[in-house]
Amino acid sequence: MTAVLEAHDLAAGYGSTVVVRDLNLTVSPGEVVALLGPNGAGKTTTLMTLAGAQAPLRGEVRVDGVATTAPLHRRARSGLGLVTETRSVLMTLTVAQNLAVAKVSKDRALDLFPELREHLNRRVGDLSGGQQQMLALARTLARGPRVLLADELSLGLAPMVVDRLLGAVRSAADAGVAVLLVEQHVRKVLAVADRVLVMQRGRIEMSGTADEIGSQLVAVQQRYLS
């Protein structure tokens, strides 16, 4: 299957500081690729460069096989969805207003997360962190993206909420979305991922199927994730 999103010999960072080196990856429709690594490994830098939020230092990003330097807003119009750990929602607006501003179907968003229905008229800043992240993910998935990049969806959230978020991501992939997911909950992400990339000090040091990585998880955690 042809990859929707690719990185070829990508280097990324800030100014003259190189954070990510020699990155090669592909993400195809219908699969969840998990990007794991310790704090500071370069995972968020990778996502933001693939999304077009920052320019690569070297190498290239390809969408549908074509190299692109388009900024984030143009990639978003072409079917890229990005959910960050900072919860991309408008805190002073209600849930319903957030959906309206994002120009997404309220019914579609509530199909994804029925839990939000009773909070439609509540100010988002008054919701729990889990509800805010559900809204952020609903706003993105309800647009029908071709590619989803998600950074630490579970940060600071209860396990039950994490399961709901990751379940929605898996369902999106099953419907044909290509997903690249950065996540700290290793065991939970292995349950929804197809492939896993393990990053350390800005490089991919290990890769395999979720089953392959899961079968040696203790060694992987000790060597790469601690």
Side-chain angles (χ1 to χ4, degrees):
M1 186 176 292
T2 303
V4 177
L5 182 66
E6 303 170 75
H8 286 269
D9 299 325
L10 193 70
Y14 310 91
S16 61
T17 302
V18 179
V19 176
V20 175
R21 300 170 177 81
D22 305 319
L23 179 69
N24 291 280
L25 62 80
T26 63
V27 190
S28 297
E31 70 169 349
V32 175
V33 178
L35 181 60
L36 307 180
N39 290 336
K43 305 183 300 296
T44 295
T45 301
T46 296
L47 249 62
M48 299 308 284
T49 305
L50 293 174
Q54 60 190 66
L57 302 179
R58 290 188 299 278
E60 63 184 22
V61 176
R62 298 179 189 172
V63 177
D64 294 326
V66 179
T68 181
T69 58
L72 173 57
H73 69 275
R74 283 180 51 196
R75 295 186 202 188
R77 290 197 201 107
S78 299
L80 181 140
L82 174 66
V83 181
T84 68
E85 62 181 306
T86 55
R87 296 174 191 151
S88 308
V89 289
L90 302 170
M91 294 291 183
T92 61
L93 300 184
T94 66
V95 170
Q97 289 169 334
N98 265 266
L99 297 175
V101 168
K103 298 181 179 180
V104 300
S105 164
K106 181 172 67 176
D107 290 339
R108 173 59 180 146
L110 294 177
D111 283 344
L112 291 164
F113 292 104
E115 301 95 322
L116 295 175
R117 182 177 297 277
E118 63 184 287
H119 303 293
L120 281 172
N121 295 316
R122 288 187 66 192
R123 196 176 71 98
V124 172
D126 295 331
L127 301 181
S128 69
Q131 291 163 340
Q132 291 170 2
Q133 196 67 302
M134 286 181 190
L135 176 60
L137 186 56
R139 278 170 38 122
T140 300
L141 292 180
R143 293 191 191 103
R146 299 176 62 234
V147 182
L148 172 66
L149 306 180
D151 189 10
E152 301 287 10
L153 288 177
S154 70
L155 192 66
L157 302 181
M160 186 176 298
V161 176
V162 176
D163 290 340
R164 284 288 291 116
L165 293 167
L166 294 181
V169 168
R170 180 67 255 178
S171 294
D174 291 341
V177 180
V179 179
L180 181 61
L181 180 64
V182 169
E183 184 54 61
Q184 291 286 358
H185 280 272
V186 177
R187 292 185 184 276
K188 287 186 178 295
V189 81
L190 287 177
V192 302
D194 298 293
R195 293 190 292 119
V196 178
L197 308 174
V198 182
M199 176 173 275
Q200 189 179 54
R201 298 187 183 92
R203 298 181 188 273
I204 301 298
E205 297 289 353
M206 188 177 188
S207 64
T209 68
D211 287 342
E212 289 169 344
I213 300 299
S215 69
Q216 47 189 321
L217 183 56
V218 173
V220 171
Q221 288 178 312
Q222 290 176 343
R223 182 171 182 181
Y224 297 114
L225 305 180
S226 59

